[in-house]
Amino acid sequence: MSHQEVSQPEVWLRGPVQGVPVELQPVAHALLQALEDVRRLAADLQPETLWRRPGGAASIGFHLRHMTGSLDRLLTYARGEALSDGQRAALAAEHGADASVAELLEAFEAAVAGALDQLRATAAADLDAARAVGRAGLPSSVRGLLYHAGEHTARHAGQISTTRRILDGLAAG
């Protein structure tokens, strides 16, 4: 299947994600749609294309790595935990062009699976619990962090789509 073909409706039109509370269905739908999109858009990329930065824009490889890392960090904050040294090191290394598309997709798939597990384990009664974000302890809530995790992931999937179109156009031109 080419990166432009779609064989079924978007995830949000397929019904609820099993086990996810109704309040968190939009998050689950956004994460699953992003996963489907990046699989379709990135699976066939060669290493030089994966890490290419057209016009200085971020590479598809960066977006894949960042989606994985930011999802992990946002979910950590939603659980009320601080980032580990490993998470901080991963953040610092997000721009490195040292992974294959298969490795990046595998890591993102695992991050989405973990996120869905966390969504399933989140009680609706806990959604408005206060959470602190980052070293500055900026105010948020479980709901705010989980919703942001979905929209942030979707935003980067969109950037992958745009970058892929640009790269395909450059290759064809």
Side-chain angles (χ1 to χ4, degrees):
M1 177 182 297
S2 84
H3 69 276
Q4 295 177 352
E5 295 175 31
V6 177
S7 62
Q8 56 185 337
E10 289 189 358
V11 174
W12 67 278
L13 292 170
R14 298 183 210 157
V17 177
Q18 186 174 14
V20 174
V22 66
E23 297 87 349
L24 298 176
Q25 286 293 322
V27 178
H29 289 143
L31 294 173
L32 290 169
Q33 187 65 56
L35 179 59
E36 286 186 11
D37 290 346
V38 299
R39 281 177 176 155
R40 177 177 45 83
L41 292 162
D44 65 341
L45 290 177
Q46 298 301 309
E48 63 275 4
T49 305
L50 176 67
W51 296 106
R52 189 166 177 196
R53 299 183 63 206
S59 68
I60 290 173
F62 164 78
H63 287 296
L64 283 169
R65 183 175 278 145
H66 180 69
M67 291 165 74
T68 300
S70 62
L71 188 54
D72 177 50
R73 292 185 294 275
L74 290 165
L75 294 173
T76 297
Y77 292 134
R79 292 190 302 271
E81 300 169 5
L83 298 185
S84 69
D85 290 340
Q87 287 171 307
R88 291 186 202 287
L91 174 60
E94 281 185 352
H95 285 282
D98 57 352
S100 71
V101 70
E103 292 167 329
L104 293 170
L105 286 173
E106 182 179 326
F108 183 57
E109 289 167 356
V112 170
L116 292 173
D117 287 344
Q118 186 167 330
L119 294 178
R120 289 181 179 107
T122 301
D126 296 333
L127 289 175
D128 295 320
R131 292 292 186 259
V133 179
R135 290 183 176 161
L138 298 173
S140 189
S141 65
V142 173
R143 182 189 316 264
L145 283 156
L146 295 177
Y147 274 61
H148 182 63
E151 78 80 25
H152 183 265
T153 303
R155 182 184 329 154
H156 282 278
Q159 290 174 304
I160 288 172
S161 178
T162 299
T163 303
R164 176 67 195 248
R165 285 181 179 259
I166 292 167
L167 293 171
D168 287 350
L170 291 172

